[in-house]
Amino acid sequence: MTTIKKITTCSILCGFISTGAFGNENLKSFITVGEGYNGEIKVETTFNGNNISDIKVVDHKESNFTKRAMKKIIKEIIERQNIDVDNVGGATFTSKGLKSAVTSAVAKGNIKLTEKKLAKKVYKNETTDVVVIGAGGAGLTAAIAAKEKGVNVILIEKMPMIGGNTNYATGGINAANSSIQLSKGINDSIDIFIEDTLKGGKNTNNKDLVTLMANSSGKMIDWLVERGADLQDVGRMGGQSVNRTHRPQGGKAVGPNLVDALSARANELKVDLRVSTTATKINEKDGVITGITVTSPDGQPYTINSKAVIIATGGFGANEPLVASYNENLKGFGTTNHKGASGDGISLTKELGVDLIQMKEIQTHPTVIPTNNKMITEAVRGNGAILINRDGKRFVNELDTRDVVSKAELSQKGNSAYLVFDQSVRESLKAIDGYYNKGFLTEGNSPEELATKLNISNKKFKTTIDQYNSFVKNNKDLDFNRNDLPRQLNKPPYYAVEVAPAVHHTMGGIAINKNGEVLKNQKPIKGLYAAGEVTGGIHGSNRLGGNALIDIVVFGKIAGDNAANLSQEK
Ligand SMILES: Cc1cc2nc3c(=O)[nH]c(=O)nc-3n(C[C@H](O)[C@H](O)[C@H](O)COP(=O)(O)OP(=O)(O)OC[C@H]3O[C@@H](n4cnc5c(N)ncnc54)[C@H](O)[C@@H]3O)c2cc1C
């Protein structure tokens, strides 16, 4: 790697200029900044004459998952010697900030870039053993499982960046009897996990699939940890009777950690990953799957022939017309989902006539900021936050299921409420620092000061907090019977954020059996598998927080294993 010797300094705004690595006086380096989603992105750009030879992000406050977007932008700028490369969807502000910093460096160095025209790649039809559609948590897991069985795998992703909604997951992943739970002396059982899940789903779940998920959950946490995930912290989210929500140490966001670990493993195994590549058709002959048709990043169609196809395209929470077509009450609702959650799995399988189940079951998440659709993880409530309305009162058991809490919020004045907590809750969950840094939280040194800022009666607000603290002290919530009261809210400063429900999870989807096979008229279609949020039936009419991630990895692994086996059948 090139070593740069700094020879002049000035403020960050005017940029550092340095020259002369290994005596090459053509090398110049500038440190400049661009505005990202969470603030400044500081970048060091090195030029060799009029060529960009290196770009390093020196400092930033962007979400962890955007680092893959930055890597992609940097690679493309250097390859093309042009800053005007496409922004990465889902990381648009980060992309713009990074490009703007490089633009400043070019201006400061008075560099005259000459764009390199890259040769147009021609895509041809090809053949592999297993093809996986969608590189979120389910697709990555399926691809790894299949590849670990020694077969060839192509994993395609329509977005420029992998990870899908899995990138956004914050609160954690549920499992019963994981080695981590056992090492912490947590007394859980498969039966209680099943019971909680069925109760949460109003007993409309597919019990066989729930049982399989719960039985496999502990081992699947070990599988993820063996592949580099950090799931050492164990807490709780709504609807659970035991602490079983696993997340990284310090309560950091779980999704980016899983995607990082899984993508590193897929990379190590040399899974053939193709981003900006969209599946447009699933091909079959005489009822047997033969592969898929895709479009390349520059729009060329080609076919990937394979005996086994795994659909892992995620849900349809970001497809407002489709959401409203199944549940008109949700027309016009915001969503917490990434743009790619558009229900492609549903449209891709329409022609095949697959069984769809529980399509009307669409979950709203009760703690989403109405002004920007950013979700505040349920783990904040799990760790002690309460919900207070504009009259300064609690109105629901904050740890009740999402449907109940969402409904209760919508019947408050303004159809929203405030999520309120103190410094001790903040210290218990690293994810809250992210909300703070993004400016989402209102802060007060006392409950009264916070109430004034929220335009709520000081007296009522303070009485509610005192009352709640007395419930915690006596370990009994006399108002709403909340079953877990982890801490009193008495350590200043106090924080609040306005929250309301938004479309979050699509519980319905493609029907599968215990082998992960897609069903048509309740019979498996040979060669077609599905896993993750694209499937239906596991969560019934209401998913518990933390259950989606365990669902996607358990069934991703099952689909990957079985697809690999099928691909080797003569
Ligand atoms: C803000 C937020 C927070 C959450 N927090 C939690 C949590 O803490 N715990 C929990 O258990 N669950 C959580 N969830 C739910 C959970 O993250 C998702 O249900 C889960 O990650 C879905 O995984 P998946 O692999 O099925 O889909 P995704 O991760 O969405 O991946 C699907 C991928 O398929 C790609 N794709 C779609 N169509 C095509 C096509 N035609 N061709 C190629 N690629 C395609 C998409 O672009 C996407 O990358 C959260 C969800 C959100 C939105």
Side-chain angles (χ1 to χ4, degrees):
M1 194 179 291
T2 313
T3 321
I4 304 293
K5 195 174 123 207
K6 306 265 171 0
I7 58 165
T8 60
T9 57
C10 60
S11 76
I12 285 171
L13 281 177
C14 80
F16 290 104
I17 304 174
S18 54
T19 63
F22 306 119
N24 182 351
E25 293 305 319
N26 281 333
L27 282 185
K28 282 190 257 178
S29 173
F30 298 88
I31 290 186
T32 47
V33 294
E35 195 60 28
Y37 186 76
N38 292 331
E40 285 182 348
I41 303 175
K42 195 198 283 186
V43 174
E44 180 175 320
T45 308
T46 303
F47 301 94
N48 189 349
N50 279 317
N51 271 329
I52 301 175
S53 60
D54 194 18
I55 300 170
K56 282 195 189 78
V57 176
V58 183
D59 196 18
H60 71 91
K61 295 197 191 75
E62 305 298 278
S63 298
N64 205 12
F65 70 82
T66 62
K67 69 180 178 217
R68 276 182 292 277
M70 295 199 231
K71 212 170 145 190
K72 184 170 189 299
I73 296 266
I74 289 171
K75 184 169 173 274
E76 280 183 24
I77 292 178
I78 295 175
E79 260 171 21
R80 287 179 44 198
Q81 293 295 309
N82 184 348
I83 304 164
D84 190 20
V85 299
D86 288 342
N87 296 326
V88 175
T92 309
F93 287 97
T94 310
S95 308
K96 284 184 179 167
L98 173 54
K99 290 194 300 185
S100 138
V102 179
T103 305
S104 302
V106 168
K108 282 187 196 318
N110 199 19
I111 304 292
K112 305 276 174 272
L113 292 176
T114 309
E115 183 176 0
K116 276 194 195 153
K117 294 281 175 220
L118 302 178
K120 189 173 156 98
K121 187 169 170 190
V122 178
Y123 293 85
K124 293 193 181 130
N125 297 345
E126 55 192 299
T127 299
T128 190
D129 295 320
V130 174
V131 63
V132 184
I133 314 173
L140 283 163
T141 304
I144 291 167
K147 190 78 186 182
E148 285 181 353
K149 282 190 165 275
V151 305
N152 295 310
V153 180
I154 296 179
L155 170 60
I156 66 152
E157 168 55 52
K158 72 173 176 180
M159 304 299 283
M161 189 173 67
I162 64 165
N165 269 349
T166 311
N167 271 331
Y168 291 10
T170 311
I173 173 167
N174 293 342
N177 293 350
S178 71
S179 319
I180 298 168
Q181 257 184 334
L182 295 175
S183 73
K184 291 180 186 290
I186 297 169
N187 199 4
D188 197 0
S189 80
I190 304 292
D191 285 346
I192 307 176
F193 188 12
I194 295 171
E195 209 176 285
D196 286 347
T197 302
L198 295 177
K199 190 172 165 213
K202 315 257 184 308
N203 280 304
T204 57
N205 325 51
N206 177 325
K207 198 171 172 193
D208 288 345
L209 297 182
V210 171
T211 305
L212 178 55
M213 178 180 86
N215 270 318
S216 318
S217 63
K219 282 196 199 80
M220 210 53 212
I221 296 291
D222 296 343
W223 188 92
L224 290 167
V225 170
E226 280 159 20
R227 282 154 190 79
D230 170 8
L231 299 169
Q232 291 299 324
D233 188 284
V234 183
R236 169 182 321 211
M237 299 215 272
Q240 293 164 21
S241 24
V242 179
N243 282 7
R244 67 167 72 95
T245 308
H246 298 64
R247 48 196 171 225
Q249 289 170 56
K252 286 198 201 119
V254 65
N257 186 280
L258 288 185
V259 174
D260 275 356
L262 293 173
S263 66
R265 178 65 181 147
N267 206 13
E268 185 181 48
L269 290 166
K270 300 200 168 32
V271 167
D272 182 347
L273 166 68
R274 303 177 186 186
V275 293
S276 303
T277 302
T278 307
T280 53
K281 191 167 184 296
I282 297 173
N283 302 319
E284 56 107 32
K285 191 159 183 257
D286 304 328
V288 176
I289 295 303
T290 59
I292 61 173
T293 304
V294 301
T295 45
S296 71
D298 61 359
Q300 298 175 52
Y302 64 99
T303 301
I304 305 173
N305 299 306
S306 64
K307 276 194 196 167
V309 170
I310 301 173
I311 309 167
T313 47
F316 59 95
N319 185 337
E320 202 256 355
L322 194 58
V323 165
S325 75
Y326 286 115
N327 182 345
E328 63 181 22
N329 294 333
L330 297 175
K331 197 168 192 270
F333 265 57
T335 182
T336 60
N337 284 203
H338 87 122
K339 194 167 108 190
S342 46
D344 292 20
I346 308 302
S347 47
L348 282 168
T349 51
K350 201 169 179 182
E351 249 181 60
L352 300 173
V354 308
D355 298 342
L356 297 180
I357 50 167
Q358 300 183 332
M359 295 302 285
K360 283 192 169 65
E361 304 298 356
I362 298 168
Q363 179 175 76
T364 55
H365 192 292
T367 55
V368 180
I369 304 174
T371 47
N372 60 15
N373 280 329
K374 295 291 169 202
M375 194 199 82
I376 304 293
T377 175
E378 195 162 315
V380 180
R381 276 173 287 146
N383 283 16
I386 58 176
L387 285 163
I388 294 188
N389 65 18
R390 286 176 171 74
D391 293 326
K393 294 193 173 140
R394 285 176 73 214
F395 54 91
V396 71
N397 163 11
E398 293 84 359
L399 294 188
D400 212 324
T401 50
R402 290 171 176 177
D403 53 338
V404 174
V405 181
S406 292
K407 201 167 163 207
E409 267 172 8
L410 288 175
S411 52
Q412 305 308 307
K413 269 184 210 155
N415 306 121
S416 66
Y418 291 99
L419 184 69
V420 176
F421 52 94
D422 72 345
Q423 180 64 17
S424 69
V425 174
R426 179 173 170 188
E427 283 164 9
S428 73
L429 198 70
K430 199 89 190 117
I432 298 176
D433 287 346
Y435 306 141
Y436 183 84
N437 292 336
K438 286 174 191 158
F440 294 167
L441 307 180
T442 304
E443 186 178 347
N445 284 322
S446 63
E448 290 89 339
E449 187 182 311
L450 183 60
T452 304
K453 288 188 177 171
L454 301 177
N455 210 10
I456 294 177
S457 149
N458 290 352
K459 210 170 146 208
K460 286 185 187 158
F461 191 86
K462 173 79 166 66
T463 306
T464 297
I465 302 258
D466 288 346
Q467 175 95 309
Y468 176 76
N469 285 342
S470 75
F471 294 159
V472 177
K473 207 165 152 200
N474 299 319
N475 199 24
K476 182 129 194 75
D477 176 4
L478 295 175
D479 285 345
F480 298 103
N481 205 21
R482 175 174 166 150
N483 70 353
D484 190 43
L485 300 157
R487 49 177 59 80
Q488 295 193 37
L489 303 177
N490 55 14
K491 184 172 180 186
Y494 295 82
Y495 304 95
V497 52
E498 187 189 355
V499 290
V503 169
H504 184 57
H505 191 87
T506 47
M507 273 86 65
I510 296 172
I512 54 166
N513 62 15
K514 289 201 278 181
N515 301 321
E517 292 166 302
V518 172
L519 303 178
K520 176 178 180 175
N521 300 326
Q522 295 174 39
K523 294 205 177 65
I525 298 178
K526 187 155 188 198
L528 192 57
Y529 300 82
E533 198 174 328
V534 70
T535 65
I538 293 155
H539 307 289
S541 60
N542 183 61
R543 170 176 75 76
L544 294 187
N547 269 5
L549 291 180
I550 197 64
D551 158 17
I552 68 169
V553 293
V554 164
F555 289 97
K557 168 97 166 56
I558 290 172
D561 284 343
N562 290 333
N565 291 342
L566 176 95
S567 74
Q568 299 309 295
E569 280 176 11
K570 295 287 170 226

